[in-house]
Amino acid sequence: MKKHEFQEDGNAPSELTNARVEIDRVDRELIRLLKRRMEAVRTVGDVKLEGPALPFVDAGREREVLHAWVREAQAQGLSEYFTGRILREILNYSRRTQENGPGRGPEGGGRRTVRVGYQGSPGSYSDLACTKLFAARGDVVERMGYSCFGLVVRALEEGEIDYALLPVENSVTGSIGEVNQLLVTRNLAVVDEETCTVDHCLVGLRGAQIGELREIRSHPVALGQCQRMFSSLREARAVDHFDTAGAARSVREAGDPTIAAIASAEAAERYGLAILREGVADQVHNQTRFLLLSKEAERVDTRWPGKTTLTFTVKDRSGALAACLKVLADHSINLTRLESRAEPETPWEYMFLADLEGYAEDANVASALGELRPWTNHLRVLGSYPSRALEERPIELPPLERGNGKQRTRSKSAPKAANAPAPATLHALPADQKRSIIRAGSAEIGGNRFTLILGPCAVESRDQIHEAAAMIKTRGAHLMRGGAFKPRSSPYSFQGLGFEGLTFLAEAGRRYELPIVTEVLRPEDVDPVARDADVLQVGARNMHNTELLKALGRIRRPVLLKRGMSATLEELLQAAEYIMAGGNHRVILCERGIRTFETSTRNTLDVSAVPVLKARTHLPVIVDPSHAAGVRELVTPLALAAAAVGADGLIVECHPDPSAALCDKEQALRPEDLEQLVEKLRPIVASQGRTL
Ligand code: PEP
Ligand code: MN
């Protein structure tokens, strides 16, 4: 006989009704208890915020909580596994509540509204990750879905959104190349991370039969992750779609029961579809990691376990990458990801993208980054942020201990130093005296070859710059100079042809296979000039322009930095430091004459600058005799002096027809002057152990 009888009128037995009432009551009670627990958690968080020595994550205390929980679950005859999972989620919620501090967090007051862009449609995994991350950050989110990653980044750069949330890697399919390429080539800050469990479902119209499916739509990556299912559904073909949720929506719109999609359960719900089968991915554990990008870095509380993302290129030296990894190992820094990306501006050079544990401002990480410098051409910290991937690591259920288990173990990670030391000086000559060699296209500055940068003061026309290129190509030039933007003393003088001039210069450079050097005047022109020029020049008048120097720190082209007319060598080195601090280590210093009481020359060439700089920095040092001399006759003697004191090269103005020059005609060398200069330089350069 059955224990519970249904009543004659079809109503449920009273036991069922009563049990459901009990469930609803208990659920309300659980929520009330959870609220009380979160209030206590918040108090702990406030105390931690006030006490500088307390780390947010106290692994010992978490273990203790877990022990007590499991012991209680066992005593009540409940599943250790499932109750353990519930506690894990509660602990995640607690950590994030504490991390956000008073007034913020999932249910704190004072919430901001932020605009977040992602790739895909509502209900996609990116959208789900956005919900999860911003629930933790405690902001109100306005979401915008874009059709591709590049458009999300553009929207961020143009201020249409405040943040971009992009997937960087998946635990099954690996790195997401397009997003990582955007990370290394654009100037964006990484401000947070999120992980999201990918749980693919086969979704279709209500009443659709799996056996009758002819087409299954989804993002190609998702389709690739469900191969086993496809091998059992021979009649169904896979059709690429730009995102999983968009595929689900298209199934709804098609209204055809033979078409289904692979998407999340949330997408099925959102578009009114049925889940035909759950868990259709080949791998059970499938997670995607996302990075939250912004235009500016954000402050984070470094007591929460954190991570740092950085990009770097290593010097073309054997063992350079191994040396970088050793620096990290010597500092006991855990590298959680390392991948190489193509460097589009310099073929066959590679850019590394690394994630490591710790914050860039931690004393230990800062010191490691300082030690990496001599091995890199470029090093840029994209950002430090709280490590959220950590939460997804399974919590190990502890074996039950005997005894009262009362002793508290403290977290292994020591509290972070309150004041990280100032970063090491990036320009300083290292103890091993190794000097930087800077590659610019086919040329190398700072190596065994003495570098000649020749060309007119200004680009005046297409014909003029092509003629100049032809003239210098056969007279020993390694690079070609030419100003497209001219910083003239008088506003009525020729100001340069601007971007049109740059186009002519780049054309001539390609035709005669000469890398080009050109001056940039404004921070906003740095990116467009860097697209065409091989080396960007900072003129003497701009050496103190810190905004320009900072903008140059963010690119990966070499910078030719001229000494200001009244700048000390220390000021020149600090200007170089500005560029290097931004991540660009390819700086070439240039002495071009300074202002003194002497009026016989345009400026006074400070020959001693060369050996003084060489003793202080690993950066290459070149000399511009043209702007020091001001007249043609003095250019060659000053150039020879520069070579004799150990300069790495020269930048010299010349013109096919100086009498017709629009700029600095008195100091421009003629073709025959160039030939004499090269002949006279040869023995001096050789005496320095170099070749021309
Ligand atoms: C130049 O090289 O074109 C120039 C303007 O030089 P400086 O900045 O040294 O005056
Ligand atoms: Mn000039």
Side-chain angles (χ1 to χ4, degrees):
M1 195 178 131
K2 282 189 232 154
K3 200 164 156 228
H4 305 291
E5 292 290 348
F6 271 73
Q7 291 162 9
E8 311 240 306
D9 57 8
N11 284 339
S14 58
E15 288 95 328
L16 179 58
T17 313
N18 293 344
R20 284 178 169 164
V21 168
E22 170 71 355
I23 286 173
D24 293 347
R25 202 184 55 77
V26 171
D27 282 352
R28 279 195 299 275
E29 189 58 25
L30 280 176
I31 294 292
R32 269 195 293 273
L33 289 172
L34 192 58
K35 182 168 163 59
R36 261 176 62 195
R37 192 183 196 283
M38 293 323 268
E39 277 161 7
V41 160
R42 214 178 275 280
T43 306
V44 172
D46 292 349
V47 172
K48 284 179 179 174
L49 270 177
E50 281 154 23
L54 288 172
F56 274 126
V57 178
D58 186 337
R61 168 68 187 154
E62 282 193 359
R63 237 186 337 266
E64 206 176 286
V65 169
L66 201 56
H67 275 226
W69 179 275
V70 170
R71 211 177 286 123
E72 192 58 33
Q74 282 184 331
Q76 299 293 334
L78 294 171
S79 151
E80 267 176 48
Y81 173 74
F82 284 106
T83 51
R85 282 183 41 175
I86 293 169
L87 182 65
R88 177 170 124 179
E89 277 311 317
I90 294 176
L91 290 178
N92 285 348
Y93 186 9
S94 304
R95 284 176 179 181
R96 293 198 181 194
T97 297
Q98 290 188 349
E99 175 203 342
N100 284 301
R104 291 203 60 201
E107 56 288 289
R111 301 165 116 206
R112 297 185 299 163
T113 299
V114 295
R115 297 160 303 166
V116 184
Y118 62 91
Q119 188 270 337
S121 311
S124 62
Y125 292 105
S126 294
D127 185 25
L128 300 180
C130 181
T131 304
K132 186 176 173 194
L133 177 59
F134 282 90
R137 288 171 66 95
D139 297 319
V140 178
V141 182
E142 261 174 43
R143 297 147 202 262
M144 325 232 184
Y146 293 85
S147 61
C148 67
F149 298 130
L151 286 180
V152 187
V153 166
R154 196 156 85 202
L156 178 62
E157 288 171 339
E158 290 175 356
E160 196 175 301
I161 50 177
D162 303 303
Y163 297 106
L165 186 64
L166 299 179
V168 283
E169 53 181 332
N170 174 269
S171 58
V172 177
T173 45
S175 171
I176 296 160
E178 195 186 334
V179 174
N180 289 302
Q181 197 66 26
L182 286 165
L183 274 181
V184 303
T185 52
R186 308 291 263 270
N187 286 317
L188 299 170
V190 178
V191 297
D192 216 328
E193 73 168 355
E194 188 53 276
T195 56
C196 179
T197 300
V198 175
D199 204 348
H200 292 316
C201 300
L202 182 65
V203 304
L205 295 184
R206 290 188 209 287
Q209 296 300 314
I210 293 184
E212 283 159 22
L213 294 177
R214 294 292 171 270
E215 185 177 317
I216 298 175
R217 301 173 177 176
S218 198
H219 189 278
V221 172
L223 293 169
Q225 290 173 343
C226 303
Q227 286 309 306
R228 255 211 313 271
M229 181 190 70
F230 276 100
S231 56
S232 71
L233 297 177
R234 289 174 195 273
E235 303 296 319
R237 66 190 182 100
V239 175
D240 286 1
H241 223 270
F242 89 95
D243 80 320
T244 55
R249 188 176 47 204
S250 80
V251 168
R252 171 86 231 172
E253 285 160 3
D256 178 346
T258 69
I259 304 177
I262 293 169
S264 64
E266 287 81 357
E269 165 91 29
R270 177 180 285 268
Y271 298 112
L273 297 174
I275 295 177
L276 306 179
R277 191 184 283 171
E278 284 182 334
V280 294
D282 301 339
Q283 303 283 333
V284 186
H285 299 290
N286 184 337
Q287 299 234 329
T288 298
R289 177 166 168 255
F290 295 81
L291 291 180
L292 185 69
L293 309 176
S294 163
K295 281 211 279 198
E296 303 287 340
E298 290 183 352
R299 281 196 65 83
V300 281
D301 192 319
T302 56
R303 288 174 299 169
W304 177 262
K307 266 190 193 165
T308 296
T309 296
L310 52 103
T311 59
F312 59 96
T313 53
V314 295
K315 290 204 165 145
D316 194 4
R317 234 182 242 176
S318 69
L321 180 59
C324 290
L325 298 181
K326 185 166 183 302
V327 168
L328 297 177
D330 289 348
H331 284 78
S332 309
I333 292 173
N334 188 21
L335 195 61
T336 55
R337 178 165 80 123
L338 177 67
E339 57 177 270
S340 70
R341 312 286 327 157
E343 159 78 292
E345 282 165 13
T346 15
W348 315 122
E349 259 194 29
Y350 295 89
M351 186 97 181
F352 292 95
L353 184 61
D355 293 333
L356 46 89
E357 285 180 359
Y359 291 91
E361 58 263 48
D362 293 348
N364 186 41
V365 177
S367 129
L369 295 181
E371 284 176 37
L372 283 182
R373 203 277 316 144
W375 300 100
T376 60
N377 276 325
H378 169 99
L379 188 152
R380 186 161 75 94
V381 172
L382 302 191
S384 292
Y385 45 89
S387 176
R388 302 194 190 268
L390 197 78
E391 294 168 1
E392 303 300 334
R393 290 180 194 166
I395 290 182
E396 281 168 37
L397 288 179
L400 288 183
E401 283 170 3
R402 286 175 214 287
N404 62 13
K406 277 273 161 61
Q407 68 276 38
R408 270 178 74 150
T409 22
R410 291 219 35 108
S411 156
K412 231 170 64 189
S413 64
K416 306 286 191 311
N419 295 310
T425 319
L426 298 171
H427 66 257
L429 185 66
D432 65 6
Q433 311 266 311
K434 274 219 170 85
R435 299 191 178 276
S436 286
I437 299 177
I438 296 179
R439 276 237 301 264
S442 55
E444 265 184 9
I445 301 117
N448 282 332
R449 175 160 279 180
F450 186 83
T451 307
L452 280 182
I453 306 173
L454 306 177
C457 180
V459 181
E460 298 165 6
S461 68
R462 178 183 263 134
D463 287 350
Q464 173 252 12
I465 197 69
H466 279 258
E467 229 178 288
M471 162 182 131
I472 64 169
K473 181 70 187 178
T474 52
R475 291 175 176 83
H478 303 110
L479 298 101
M480 170 162 61
R481 64 152 289 149
F485 301 92
K486 295 304 303 175
R488 302 302 299 278
S489 301
S490 160
Y492 307 113
S493 305
F494 174 58
Q495 303 286 308
L497 297 180
F499 284 105
E500 191 188 24
L502 179 57
T503 306
F504 297 155
L505 180 68
E507 244 175 45
R510 276 195 298 274
R511 179 159 163 208
Y512 292 91
E513 293 184 336
L514 288 165
I516 58 171
V517 183
T518 202
E519 180 164 353
V520 60
L521 297 180
R522 309 187 303 172
E524 59 269 37
D525 291 343
V526 166
D527 285 329
V529 171
R531 273 197 274 281
D532 282 331
D534 298 285
V535 178
L536 279 76
Q537 177 176 324
V538 177
R541 291 157 190 80
N542 263 320
M543 191 209 83
H544 291 291
N545 184 343
T546 51
E547 290 310 308
L548 181 64
L549 301 175
K550 283 184 205 166
L552 289 160
R554 294 191 284 262
I555 61 164
R556 291 184 309 289
R557 295 285 199 195
V559 177
L560 172 52
L561 176 64
K562 289 190 145 192
R563 179 181 182 181
M565 310 188 192
S566 327
T568 64
L569 294 176
E570 185 52 32
E571 286 167 332
L572 174 62
L573 290 170
Q574 287 307 329
E577 191 73 18
Y578 256 99
I579 300 169
M580 300 176 85
N584 187 357
H585 299 168
R586 293 160 165 134
V587 181
I588 303 152
L589 303 174
C590 180
E591 159 60 34
R592 48 78 72 199
I594 50 174
R595 280 265 162 90
T596 65
F597 49 82
E598 181 54 67
T599 53
S600 318
T601 47
R602 182 173 173 179
N603 290 287
T604 299
L605 185 69
D606 181 7
V607 175
S608 53
V610 178
V612 171
L613 289 171
K614 290 261 154 191
R616 290 201 207 159
T617 179
H618 57 87
L619 298 171
V621 180
I622 67 165
V623 167
D624 171 354
S626 307
H627 291 88
V631 289
R632 185 171 310 122
E633 297 67 38
L634 292 179
V635 172
T636 299
L638 296 185
L640 300 180
V645 290
D648 294 294
L650 296 168
I651 178 166
V652 179
E653 287 187 351
C654 55
H655 200 282
D657 177 11
S659 64
L662 295 181
C663 187
D664 287 349
K665 58 168 75 165
E666 299 81 12
Q667 67 198 36
L669 297 193
R670 297 159 299 199
E672 59 272 28
D673 302 321
L674 280 183
E675 281 156 25
Q676 280 178 21
L677 169 66
V678 171
E679 276 327 296
K680 289 183 174 164
L681 272 175
R682 226 177 270 288
I684 300 177
V685 166
S687 76
Q688 299 284 321
R690 285 186 145 131
T691 54
L692 255 182

